[in-house]
Amino acid sequence: MTATISFSPTLGDRLSSPPPSSAPPSSPPLRLSLAPVGPAPALLDGAWWPHSRDLGAELPALTAVLDPLWGRITRVAVNPTHWPVVPRKVPVAGHVVKVGWFLDEQDPHELLLLSYRMGRWDLLVIPPRTDSVSAAWLMAAASDPLGTSTASRLMEEAARLRTMSETDRAVEAVWDSEGGHGAGDPAARPRIPAVAATVGDRAAAPAAASNRPSGM
């Protein structure tokens, strides 16, 4: 399983180039996967894997990448179920993002973003402590341009696949401890395929990214 983050050359160089030895440590890399732009937008526009549940600390890095792609992000909305604190405003580079929340109307695993007069986008929010294999699968699934699953549905499917993998490993452990007897043939058991997730830019102009209503 590999996860690759790639941005436009100028932006990518700024994000991925190692800092000089005299510079302070850089912030953690942004973990983001965006669906390619198509004639019929998918239910989700990608996935975001923040490093914490601190919106004030996480949003600036996200908007720094999305502003050039989608137009300036002016508002975001979350379901407060998984966010301990929902600030009303978050200062980001060059402007302020207003933050709102919806308890019943919004998927608890989704982040809604609005760009003034440009459009609306919906990102799956992968929990910060998610293991890398599950996160890679979620990023790939949420970035599928033909995807029809909600954020919560993808989280449920990832949990199901993780349980299957853990069960498979437990059966293999029994097989090994019993010398290969009494656990069935490991080769005959279904396996979860390895997932390769590619994380990158939108290829088209921001205005074409979504045709969903832009109202919050």
Side-chain angles (χ1 to χ4, degrees):
M1 182 279 298
T2 59
T4 303
I5 300 179
S6 60
F7 298 98
S8 60
T10 301
L11 182 60
D13 292 343
R14 185 167 72 249
L15 292 175
S16 61
S17 297
S21 57
S22 58
S26 60
S27 58
L30 179 70
R31 302 181 296 193
L32 177 68
S33 174
L34 300 178
V37 177
L43 194 59
L44 292 169
D45 297 291
W48 176 42
W49 187 15
H51 296 274
S52 72
R53 287 292 187 178
D54 184 343
L55 273 175
E58 299 289 343
L59 278 180
L62 179 64
T63 59
V65 170
L66 295 183
D67 280 0
L69 299 176
W70 292 350
R72 176 174 289 189
I73 302 300
T74 55
R75 298 177 66 91
V76 302
V78 299
N79 183 311
T81 300
H82 298 299
W83 299 97
V85 177
V86 181
R88 296 186 63 182
K89 297 180 180 180
V90 175
V92 301
H95 64 289
V96 173
V97 174
K98 296 181 179 180
V99 183
W101 59 269
F102 301 100
L103 187 59
D104 297 324
E105 299 89 343
Q106 186 164 342
D107 191 309
H109 297 288
E110 187 177 295
L111 177 73
L112 183 156
L113 305 102
L114 292 174
S115 177
Y116 182 60
R117 293 184 178 177
M118 298 297 290
R120 162 185 167 167
W121 297 271
D122 299 277
L123 296 178
L124 163 70
V125 179
I126 302 173
R129 295 186 179 182
T130 301
D131 64 275
S132 59
V133 173
S134 294
W137 185 89
L138 285 165
M139 282 190 162
S143 302
D144 183 351
L146 301 178
T148 58
S149 293
T150 64
S152 286
R153 182 69 186 86
L154 289 179
M155 291 297 298
E156 293 171 0
E157 182 65 10
R160 186 184 69 82
L161 293 175
R162 184 166 56 250
T163 299
M164 289 175 58
S165 179
E166 292 170 353
T167 300
D168 192 62
R169 287 195 297 270
V171 172
E172 285 186 358
V174 172
W175 172 273
D176 293 338
S177 67
E178 297 182 357
H181 298 287
D185 181 6
R189 293 192 299 274
R191 302 281 182 162
I192 299 176
V195 176
T198 300
V199 184
D201 291 341
R202 294 264 176 162
S210 173
N211 62 7
R212 288 194 289 275
S214 60
M216 181 176 297

